[in-house]
Amino acid sequence: MDAQGRGRADDIDPADQWVLNPDTGEYELRLAPSAAQSSVPGPRRSGGRGPAARAGAARTGRTAPARRSGAAAPGDDAPSPRRRTGAPAEAAAGRRGRRPAPKKGKGKKVLMWTGGSLAFVLVGTSAAAYLYYEHLNDNITSVSDDGAGTGGFSKDRAINILLVGTDKRTGKGNEGYGDKDSAGHADTTLVLHVSKDRSNATVLSIPRDLITDIPDCPTTQEDGSEKVIPGQQRTRFNNSLGQEERTPSCTMRTITELTGLKMDHFMVADFNAVKTLTSAVGGVDVCLAKDIKDPDSKLDLPRGEHTIEGEEALAFVRTRHSVGFGGDLSRIELQQQFLGSMMRKLKSDDTLTNPSKMIKLAEAGTKALTVDSQISTIKNLADLGAELGKFDTKNLTFATVPVVDNPAEKIKATVVLKEPQAQQLFAMVREDVSLTEVKKEKKKEKAAEAARLKGTKAPASEVRVRILNGGAVAGSAQETLSWLQVQEGVTKSENAGNAEQPLAKTTLEYGPDEADQARRLAEIMGLSGAALKPGKSVTNSQGVPAMTLTLGKDFEGAGVPLTTPEKVPDDVQKATADKVECAK
């Protein structure tokens, strides 16, 4: 019992502290009559940081107890260090916002929806929610993105989030899992892409054994200095995290190099994410086409439908030897099924209208999360969650990056990208093309893009264009110039050097009187209507008006069409979140 005669705060279910006020019809945080601060579990905040806490202290006449080491003086509004009481020493060291403490697991992707859940936690609560808000903020661990991201998501463009978990073993109750002696790897990696209009979303699963290049990674050290961790060529993707002191920002850079997608944020979690979140929502429904008894993951379930949570849920997402071909790719499909079911549960009325579940989700999610510093507060997470919650589950598509066995190996242990299917898939996501049939109000936009390609086309010899390199490999502008002049007869073209700003996509800007020239050049280069940008012409070196062709990062070489595929390649494995699939 504590000084107020109550049980230990850590033993109290946070959901039990919220009661319905019959006068207001709202759920409010229940506090002890004499208490000046929240009774929810976690570090007890002394002295208060906000008006509610200070007012409570004034009413009771109680003196606030001493603050934690490193906190601001009583009465100061400065935030206190974010550290959870009782966390392992190794994990606590990583809570200073500098270096990560990668304590993640293999099913932690479920955290992508936690931000949306947190948005609901604070809706319709009284002023007392301020104290709980601060408590949740203290739960969150943040790590710098080291400039690898965009600086934060925006409501007027598509959102890309890196979701990653490691096989490093940390956390109470996880002693029997993971890689005991290693710093961990990017063992499970997902890229969540939410469309600009929020009508659909795509989740790309990146195989851990994919051979790729890891770039040099500038990384913030504990003392604030920067250290560049050297890159590595032709290595497993999972080495992008943990190894050589690489942080999640290095995994972000590796994803960008691999797919051309720049990440807005990252989220990482530990094994406990699966256990606590599945318990918070009352279990997740899964289906097995056969009996599974896996001694490695400890999963023991008969065929049929099951509702799983806690340790059993963790065993489900970790198992691989008993499903499919018994490898990582088979486990990816199993995890995608689990995530689809988790998504349906999180967005169901049974969860969203249940205050007890929402509070438990907020607790579990914030304690399990390690996020980039751009979304290290409940407000930022709630804003992000509001955007992530806008699409229908039937328009959420899971897809695995197309790969084949590494031809350089006699004993197959790694995989390489399957081309051109992988690049086609990456292009569709970059261009915000849904992998499912989505009924959305984009007819006018699509019609306008298609109209730009229709009409008369000027002869190639009359096309005047300046070529800029806006992110393509060095020499691309000169290569394109030679190809256009020698092979395509576009003799009135010139190399204008580098663009001021790099572009993700190649564009062709033209003036009102140059539409026929633009259509001809689009036909020659395989440009889509979206790449054509009606605007204004510029003056070329001859002093006459000309169009501007800017080669973006999507440019793959002279003569390679840049039209984005409208359909997913047939052999790309994919599934939607609204369908129940039985694991085989």
Side-chain angles (χ1 to χ4, degrees):
M1 303 290 282
D2 63 14
Q4 281 75 36
R6 302 171 63 100
R8 288 183 63 241
D10 288 342
D11 295 331
I12 300 172
D13 186 338
D16 293 338
Q17 305 307 302
W18 292 77
V19 296
L20 179 67
N21 185 331
D23 296 326
T24 65
E26 297 176 344
Y27 283 88
E28 299 180 355
L29 185 64
R30 177 174 58 194
L31 301 176
S34 61
Q37 56 192 141
S38 172
S39 62
V40 294
R44 298 181 70 92
R45 307 185 64 81
S46 305
R49 294 196 319 192
R54 289 193 291 269
R59 287 193 299 271
T60 62
R62 294 179 183 272
T63 302
R67 286 176 174 257
R68 296 192 301 259
S69 174
D76 196 333
D77 285 346
S80 55
R82 288 182 179 164
R83 181 170 298 177
R84 292 203 296 273
T85 301
E90 181 180 79
R95 296 186 177 280
R96 299 198 290 188
R98 294 293 184 187
R99 298 287 300 280
K103 49 183 186 58
K104 329 313 170 196
K106 296 180 179 175
K108 37 336 245 180
K109 299 81 58 175
V110 293
L111 291 170
M112 69 181 77
W113 311 118
T114 303
S117 299
L118 297 179
F120 293 100
V121 168
L122 302 176
V123 174
T125 59
S126 68
Y130 174 83
L131 300 177
Y132 191 63
Y133 176 98
E134 292 297 293
H135 161 70
L136 291 177
N137 271 338
D138 276 347
N139 285 347
I140 301 172
T141 303
S142 65
V143 179
S144 174
D145 72 355
D146 299 313
T150 62
F153 78 96
S154 174
K155 293 184 178 181
D156 60 356
R157 57 179 171 79
I159 299 174
N160 294 312
I161 302 177
L162 171 64
L163 305 153
V164 63
T166 80
D167 52 6
K168 181 178 175 64
R169 184 190 69 176
T170 57
K172 183 178 180 181
N174 298 322
E175 294 83 358
Y177 306 135
D179 192 343
K180 178 179 179 181
D181 300 317
S182 170
H185 304 78
D187 194 58
T188 301
T189 305
L190 299 171
V191 174
L192 169 64
H193 172 87
V194 183
S195 66
K196 178 180 178 180
D197 66 2
R198 308 298 188 255
S199 68
N200 65 92
T202 299
V203 176
L204 292 181
S205 294
I206 312 294
R208 65 179 185 178
D209 296 322
L210 173 66
I211 295 299
T212 189
D213 294 337
I214 298 175
D216 292 344
C217 298
T219 307
T220 303
Q221 304 299 295
E222 289 210 27
D223 61 2
S225 63
E226 183 181 276
K227 173 183 177 182
V228 178
I229 300 175
Q232 192 173 355
Q233 305 298 307
R234 307 300 297 165
T235 186
R236 278 182 167 90
F237 174 85
N238 66 357
N239 288 326
S240 65
L241 178 65
Q243 305 304 296
E244 308 298 330
E245 299 185 332
R246 295 187 179 103
T247 69
S249 66
C250 193
T251 308
M252 290 180 88
R253 296 183 194 278
T254 304
I255 287 288
T256 299
E257 290 289 323
L258 178 68
T259 66
L261 290 163
K262 185 112 176 183
M263 298 294 102
D264 295 302
H265 301 288
F266 65 73
M267 295 184 181
V268 190
D270 58 19
F271 285 118
N272 290 321
V274 178
K275 295 189 284 188
T276 57
L277 285 172
T278 52
S279 296
V281 298
V284 174
D285 300 327
V286 297
C287 181
L288 296 177
K290 63 179 181 180
D291 297 346
I292 291 184
K293 190 168 185 177
D294 185 350
D296 292 327
S297 71
K298 301 179 177 62
L299 180 65
D300 187 358
L301 285 176
R303 62 178 295 182
E305 298 181 356
H306 305 274
T307 300
I308 58 176
E309 62 177 279
E311 290 287 349
E312 195 169 49
L314 179 59
F316 183 87
V317 298
R318 291 184 65 241
T319 192
R320 58 172 173 160
H321 300 302
S322 301
V323 292
F325 294 104
D328 186 52
L329 296 180
S330 297
R331 185 179 64 174
I332 285 175
E333 293 185 36
L334 192 74
Q335 292 172 342
Q336 290 173 349
Q337 178 206 139
F338 177 86
L339 284 171
S341 180
M342 184 71 173
M343 175 61 181
R344 293 192 297 273
K345 194 64 173 285
L346 284 172
K347 299 192 76 171
S348 69
D349 290 340
D350 181 54
T351 299
L352 299 181
T353 60
N354 188 320
S356 176
K357 285 186 178 180
M358 295 310 301
I359 298 301
K360 289 178 180 178
L361 272 171
E363 288 287 330
T366 53
K367 288 180 179 178
L369 281 171
T370 295
V371 301
D372 65 271
S373 53
Q374 304 292 338
I375 49 171
S376 60
T377 68
I378 294 300
K379 182 183 183 304
N380 290 339
L381 278 173
D383 288 344
L384 175 59
E387 296 300 305
L388 300 185
K390 290 181 177 179
F391 58 85
D392 194 304
T393 52
K394 69 180 181 181
N395 296 329
L396 169 63
T397 308
F398 295 97
T400 303
V401 172
V403 294
V404 294
D405 288 334
N406 188 348
E409 297 175 334
K410 292 183 178 180
I411 299 177
K412 305 304 180 184
T414 62
V415 294
V416 296
L417 292 179
K418 183 177 184 179
E419 305 292 13
Q421 289 87 341
Q423 297 306 323
Q424 292 172 345
L425 181 59
F426 296 154
M428 291 185 71
V429 179
R430 286 196 305 266
E431 298 292 331
D432 212 17
V433 177
S434 174
L435 303 193
T436 57
E437 293 294 331
V438 181
K439 294 181 179 179
K440 48 188 176 178
E441 300 298 327
K442 296 185 75 173
K443 293 182 179 179
K444 290 184 179 179
E445 181 180 344
K446 291 295 182 182
E449 292 175 358
R452 294 170 197 162
L453 299 174
K454 296 179 180 178
T456 59
K457 300 181 181 67
S461 59
E462 295 181 8
V463 173
R464 296 186 299 273
V465 60
R466 298 170 69 250
I467 306 170
L468 295 172
N469 190 328
V473 298
S476 292
Q478 185 59 43
E479 176 193 0
T480 302
L481 175 67
S482 299
W483 174 71
L484 287 175
Q485 290 184 339
V486 176
Q487 297 189 38
E488 301 298 331
V490 184
T491 55
K492 297 178 181 178
S493 51
E494 61 183 39
N495 184 346
N498 293 324
E500 293 183 1
Q501 297 292 335
L503 298 178
K505 308 169 187 176
T506 297
T507 62
L508 175 62
E509 184 175 3
Y510 56 95
D513 299 329
E514 297 171 326
D516 57 343
Q517 296 181 45
R519 286 191 284 268
R520 175 61 69 190
L521 190 60
E523 179 184 63
I524 293 172
M525 295 197 62
L527 298 176
S528 67
L532 272 59
K533 306 295 181 184
K536 59 182 181 180
S537 58
V538 295
T539 301
N540 65 12
S541 61
Q542 303 300 314
V544 295
M547 302 182 295
T548 300
L549 173 67
T550 305
L551 306 177
K553 294 180 180 179
D554 60 339
F555 182 78
E556 298 180 0
V560 179
L562 290 167
T563 304
T564 302
E566 294 292 333
K567 182 177 179 297
V568 184
D570 292 335
D571 50 359
V572 171
Q573 178 275 323
K574 68 185 185 74
T576 54
D578 64 321
K579 296 179 180 178
V580 178
E581 302 284 348
C582 290
K584 300 178 180 179

